């Protein structure tokens, strides 16, 4: 049997989601901004051609954006999350095994498909996904994950020539693709790694492929380096992973929409983040044994000078819990302890750790187990919030005004998840 | 291309439903004799959505399709995976605008037909900025 893996990667995913419901933007430059409208996180090819940089701050690109009439959107994670699920659900029907790697890319196991039908099948995966979900994708197919990433990158770079699909099957195809790929562009090689490689005069993926495993083991961080060289040689070493359905830790961190100075507001934000994280915790039937929090302040005068300082604290709970009110009660004293009057807070976060399945919680002699009543309360809170909209029911600590909330001035409708925000047709 | 041989039907089960979704009485005294006959009950999602990842809901603005009983404010269910055959009601994209119309395809021309005397059919030339977004499968309307 031939072992083959494919990676399916959505093209400019967030921007493509926006375009699907605003077809007038097809062929036009579109960018999507990060939380708080800070940086550019998704660009269409047309926006890339204008020289707008990925992760570039919005304010630095604003002149260029206005001049070229670029469509700008705040990130709409409700929409992107739903569209991502549609893409992944489609892929699950097309391949026996799918590993969701990120919000917009998945590895597919295509082992066992006849070699001369592989390209047709990859094209079929692409066309079906695009037809059903409306999201354009690129597909790279090769014997190993690293090679499939190389193929995918080349398919994306030359959409006209490749029609969005590249299969690296023969040694000749693999050689040509690797020669066209710089070491920086190999999956898993960071900027630090590529500097090391360039020092050894290894400039392309092909150069690296031809190094011995012994050399890689010595110079590229041991087993990781060996694996990389093997993968480039088409020997699969990175297997398909099971989905991370149960998370070992759950974090909620956000930048504030504007700077926060007051302790009260800070506590509201942290309590809200706890509520959100505890909701996720209950969704995976877990209980957390410890909570960490951190507060980030930036006391510089200019908003563009970014020299943040971060303070954090940690509390181990007497017994693991999933009750929002209990978590809030343990964390609020930490916020008070960390708070420094006069500081300008720009971000806060909480991390739930030591997560165990809630059936396995060990109670100690002095702690009362979660009462049936508080369990029921959580159940009701979750049901109301899922059914009627986030934060319909919440604990009073979380505040009612939320001046610090995320800035999303240019958000489009949640076309696929909210009944009153559907797309209009004439 | 020989694509058909890999994958036959348009729909192969994107709905998820488990045995456990079937309720039973869990009676404490006698076992309820109806338990063996319990159905899952009528679920509108299951009935109205044929292919979940390809199905979208949209709201109609205006009365371009009144004679097909699609009125202003109605919700239409749109399936992107259905082949747009002549005669179906579709969501078309013309010059970047999303329109609901009846699709008419003959040997040498494509037309978009509104279902109201107030608008005239639109002929789609070869060079027009035109695409089909999806096919309308159901209409949901509120009476009171």
């Amino acid at each position: 049997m031939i072992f083959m893996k494919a990676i399916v990667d959505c093209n400019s995913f967030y921007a493509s989601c926006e375009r699907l419901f605003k077809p007038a933007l097809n062929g036009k430059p579109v960018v999507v901004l990060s939380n708080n409208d800070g940086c550019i996180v998704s660009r269409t090819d047309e926006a890339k051609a204008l020289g707008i940089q990925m992760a570039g701050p919005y304010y630095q690109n604003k002149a260029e954006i206005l001049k070229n009439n670029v469509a700008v959107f705040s990130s709409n994670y409700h929409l992107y999350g739903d569209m991502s699920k549609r893409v992944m659900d489609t892929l699950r029907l097309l391949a026996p095994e799918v590993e969701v790697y990120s919000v917009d890319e998945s590895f597919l196991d295509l082992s066992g498909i006849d070699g001369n039908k592989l390209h047709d099948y990859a094209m079929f995966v692409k066309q079906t996904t695009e037809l059903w979900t409306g999201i354009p994708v690129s597909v790279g197919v090769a014997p190993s994950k690293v090679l499939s990433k190389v193929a995918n990158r080349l398919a994306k770079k030359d959409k006209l020539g490749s029609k969005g699909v590249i299969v690296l099957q023969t040694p000749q195809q693999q050689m040509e693709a690797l020669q066209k790929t710089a070491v920086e562009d190999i999956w898993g090689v960071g900027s630090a790694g590529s500097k090391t490689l360039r020092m050894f005069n290894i400039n392309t993926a092909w150069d690296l492929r031809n190094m011995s495993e012994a050399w890689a083991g010595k110079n590229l961080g041991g087993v990781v380096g060996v694996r990389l060289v093997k993968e480039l040689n088409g020997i699969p070493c990175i297997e398909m992973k099971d989905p991370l359905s149960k998370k070992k830790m759950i974090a909620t961190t956000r930048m504030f929409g504007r700077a926060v100075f007051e302790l009260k507001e800070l506590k509201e934000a942290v309590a809200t983040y706890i509520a959100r994280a505890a909701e996720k915790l209950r969704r995976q039937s877990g209980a957390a044994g410890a909570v960490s929090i951190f507060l980030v302040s930036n006391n510089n005068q200019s908003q563009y000078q970014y020299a943040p300082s971060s303070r954090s604290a940690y509390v181990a709970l007497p017994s693991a819990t999933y009750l929002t009110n209990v978590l809030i009660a343990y964390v609020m004293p930490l916020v008070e302890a960390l708070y420094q009057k006069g500081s300008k807070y720009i971000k806060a976060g909480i991390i739930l750790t030591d997560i165990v399945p809630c059936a396995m919680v060990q109670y100690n002699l002095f702690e009362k187990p979660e009462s049936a009543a508080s369990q029921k309360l959580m159940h009701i809170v979750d049901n109301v919030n899922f059914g009627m909209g986030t934060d319909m029911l919440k604990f009073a600590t979380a505040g009612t005004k939320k001046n610090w909330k995320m800035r999303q001035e240019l958000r489009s409708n949640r076309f696929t998840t909210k009944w009153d925000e559907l797309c209009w047709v004439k | 291309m020989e694509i058909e041989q890999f994958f036959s039907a348009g729909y192969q089960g994107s709905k998820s439903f488990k045995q456990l979704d079937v309720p039973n009485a869990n009676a404490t005294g006698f076992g309820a004799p109806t338990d063996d006959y319990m159905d899952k009950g009528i679920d509108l999602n299951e009935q109205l959505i044929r292919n979940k990842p390809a199905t979208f809901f949209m709201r109609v603005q205006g009365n371009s399709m009144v004679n097909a009983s699609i009125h202003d404010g109605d919700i239409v269910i749109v399936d992107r995976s259905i082949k747009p055959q002549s005669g179906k009601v579709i969501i078309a994209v013309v010059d970047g605008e999303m329109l609901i119309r009846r699709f008419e395809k003959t040997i040498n021309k494509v037309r978009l037909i509104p279902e109201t005397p107030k608008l005239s059919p639109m002929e789609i030339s070869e060079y027009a900025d035109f695409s089909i977004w999806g096919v309308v499968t159901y209409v949901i309307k509120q009476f009171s």
Side-chain angles (χ1 to χ4, degrees):
Chain A
M1 191 162 90
I2 326 162
F3 290 95
M4 276 289 173
K5 294 197 176 77
I7 180 138
V8 179
D9 193 348
C10 303
N11 302 342
S12 316
F13 179 57
Y14 295 170
S16 296
C17 293
E18 299 291 352
R19 265 182 178 169
L20 180 59
F21 296 95
K22 294 201 176 60
L25 297 174
N26 285 334
K28 305 228 163 66
V30 178
V31 299
V32 176
L33 306 177
S34 63
N35 281 345
N36 285 320
D37 299 347
C39 294
I40 290 160
V41 290
S42 179
R43 307 163 298 163
T44 60
D45 288 344
E46 297 79 8
K48 288 175 196 168
L50 291 172
I52 294 168
Q53 291 300 311
M54 188 65 168
Y58 175 43
Y59 72 88
Q60 273 181 9
N61 288 289
K62 215 163 184 172
E64 199 65 20
I65 284 171
L66 284 173
K67 197 177 84 192
N68 293 292
N69 214 0
V70 178
V72 182
F73 293 93
S74 298
S75 38
N76 183 347
Y77 290 112
H78 302 266
L79 175 63
Y80 311 151
D82 183 71
M83 291 309 301
S84 169
K85 184 169 181 298
R86 288 167 185 265
V87 170
M88 303 315 171
D89 283 350
T90 306
L91 295 176
R92 283 191 194 99
L93 294 173
L94 298 172
E97 206 183 334
V98 173
E99 175 196 336
V100 176
Y101 181 66
S102 73
V103 68
D104 60 353
E105 42 187 345
S106 266
F107 286 105
L108 270 52
D109 189 356
L110 296 186
S111 303
I113 290 178
D114 196 0
N116 55 36
K117 292 195 179 119
L118 213 47
H119 190 276
D120 279 1
Y121 193 74
M123 188 56 88
F124 172 66
V125 168
K126 176 187 151 72
Q127 288 170 348
T128 305
T129 311
E130 292 180 354
L131 179 72
W132 287 18
T133 67
I135 301 295
V137 298
S138 301
V139 185
V141 186
S144 70
K145 279 187 173 175
V146 172
L147 277 181
S148 71
K149 276 279 204 179
V150 167
N152 190 289
R153 191 181 152 274
L154 294 174
K156 264 195 170 163
K157 273 187 76 175
D158 179 18
K159 290 195 184 91
L160 281 178
S162 69
K163 297 202 167 60
V165 173
I166 286 185
V167 180
L168 301 180
Q169 223 168 345
T170 65
Q172 176 72 21
Q173 289 167 333
Q174 292 174 11
M175 180 182 80
E176 282 168 16
L178 292 175
Q179 283 171 342
K180 274 191 273 186
T181 306
V183 285
E184 291 80 5
D185 297 323
I186 306 171
W187 185 46
V189 176
S191 62
S194 63
K195 269 187 200 131
T196 319
L197 290 169
R198 295 249 180 210
M199 255 161 38
F200 286 109
N201 207 20
I202 296 169
N203 297 312
T204 67
W206 179 247
D207 296 340
L208 181 57
R209 184 211 105 115
N210 291 325
M211 301 311 288
S212 73
E213 285 171 24
W215 180 88
K218 203 171 129 224
N219 297 294
L220 299 177
V223 72
V224 183
V226 176
R227 223 168 51 172
L228 183 60
V229 170
K230 275 189 165 171
E231 281 260 325
L232 284 172
N233 276 281
I235 305 161
C237 307
I238 308 173
E239 285 313 314
M240 300 288 280
K241 287 197 191 83
D242 291 331
L244 301 168
S245 55
K246 304 263 159 145
K247 296 212 175 83
K248 296 269 163 45
M249 64 177 237
I250 295 173
T252 308
T253 55
R254 302 280 150 79
M255 294 288 283
F256 299 137
R258 60 153 177 78
V260 164
F261 295 92
E262 298 298 318
L263 177 62
K264 185 172 168 286
E265 281 189 311
L266 206 54
K267 282 167 116 176
E268 282 179 15
V270 172
T272 305
Y273 298 165
I274 290 176
R276 191 70 358 92
E279 206 173 88
K280 286 188 197 156
L281 183 66
R282 292 192 290 272
R283 211 182 304 170
Q284 68 172 51
S285 305
V291 198
S292 331
I293 73 157
F294 63 89
L295 305 174
V296 182
S297 58
N298 179 21
N299 291 328
N300 269 314
Q301 289 305 309
S302 157
Q303 63 167 317
Y304 301 136
Q305 266 184 320
Y306 190 66
S309 66
S310 175
R311 284 162 58 93
S312 61
Y314 169 91
V315 58
L317 307 173
S319 59
T321 184
Y322 54 80
L323 299 176
T324 306
N325 48 338
V326 174
L327 291 165
I328 290 178
Y330 278 106
V331 170
M332 285 304 119
L334 301 183
V335 182
E336 283 164 24
L338 289 180
Y339 174 74
Q340 289 171 311
K341 204 168 167 51
S343 273
K344 182 169 137 191
Y345 290 97
I346 53 169
K347 182 180 182 177
I350 72 121
I351 305 164
L352 303 178
T353 50
D354 296 356
I355 292 174
V356 292
C358 59
M360 276 171 54
V361 174
Q362 307 257 324
Y363 295 105
N364 71 35
L365 263 179
F366 309 102
E367 280 293 315
K368 263 195 309 220
E370 331 285 35
S371 68
S374 41
Q375 276 181 30
K376 207 164 186 177
L377 173 64
M378 288 303 122
H379 192 67
I380 291 168
V381 169
D382 287 348
N383 262 320
V384 170
N385 285 345
F386 279 120
M388 301 175 63
T390 308
D391 287 344
M392 189 59 81
L393 268 186
K394 60 189 175 183
F395 288 91
T397 339
T400 48
K401 278 213 289 290
K402 290 202 183 169
N403 292 325
W404 44 269
K405 222 183 109 186
M406 185 153 77
R407 249 196 327 250
Q408 286 182 313
E409 280 159 9
L410 308 159
R411 204 199 68 202
S412 52
N413 281 3
R414 293 168 287 190
F415 299 108
T416 59
T417 56
K418 298 284 176 213
W419 201 238
D420 50 1
E421 295 185 25
L422 299 177
C423 181
W424 289 93
V425 287
K426 275 190 190 162
Chain B
M1 243 199 315
E2 294 179 79
I3 263 169
E4 261 62 33
Q5 71 188 81
F6 296 117
F7 193 81
S8 46
Y11 170 67
Q12 291 208 335
S14 60
K15 296 164 185 168
S16 51
F17 142 54
K18 294 185 211 82
Q19 192 64 35
L20 287 171
D21 294 338
V22 180
N24 58 40
N26 266 333
T28 55
F30 295 101
T34 53
D35 274 1
D36 289 351
Y37 302 91
M38 269 324 262
D39 286 324
K40 198 170 137 275
I42 288 173
D43 180 346
L44 284 179
N45 283 317
E46 208 169 295
Q47 200 59 40
L48 304 185
I49 300 177
R50 275 190 256 185
N51 185 357
K52 208 170 169 211
T55 300
F56 295 83
F57 292 75
M58 291 184 179
R59 201 178 283 273
V60 178
Q61 183 177 32
N63 285 312
S64 63
M65 295 297 282
V66 266
N67 290 346
S69 349
I70 303 173
H71 295 91
D72 186 42
D74 285 355
I75 285 170
V76 286
I77 303 182
V78 181
D79 189 333
R80 293 181 54 95
S81 63
I82 293 177
K83 203 171 171 193
Q85 281 159 335
S86 187
K88 298 219 173 200
V89 175
I90 62 162
I91 304 297
V93 180
V94 182
D95 293 325
E97 197 177 15
M98 290 170 100
L99 301 175
I100 180 167
R101 293 289 187 277
R102 201 175 287 285
F103 181 57
E104 185 191 87
K105 192 178 177 186
T106 47
I107 298 166
N108 52 7
K109 67 179 162 195
V110 169
R111 292 201 309 164
L112 296 178
I113 320 280
E115 293 277 357
T116 167
K118 288 183 181 158
L119 292 171
S120 44
M122 194 186 279
E123 194 164 323
I124 303 297
S125 85
E126 211 181 315
Y127 308 102
D129 180 5
F130 165 76
S131 63
I132 294 173
W133 203 97
V135 173
V136 174
T137 53
Y138 290 93
V139 184
I140 304 174
K141 53 175 79 238
Q142 186 169 6
F143 283 113
S144 49

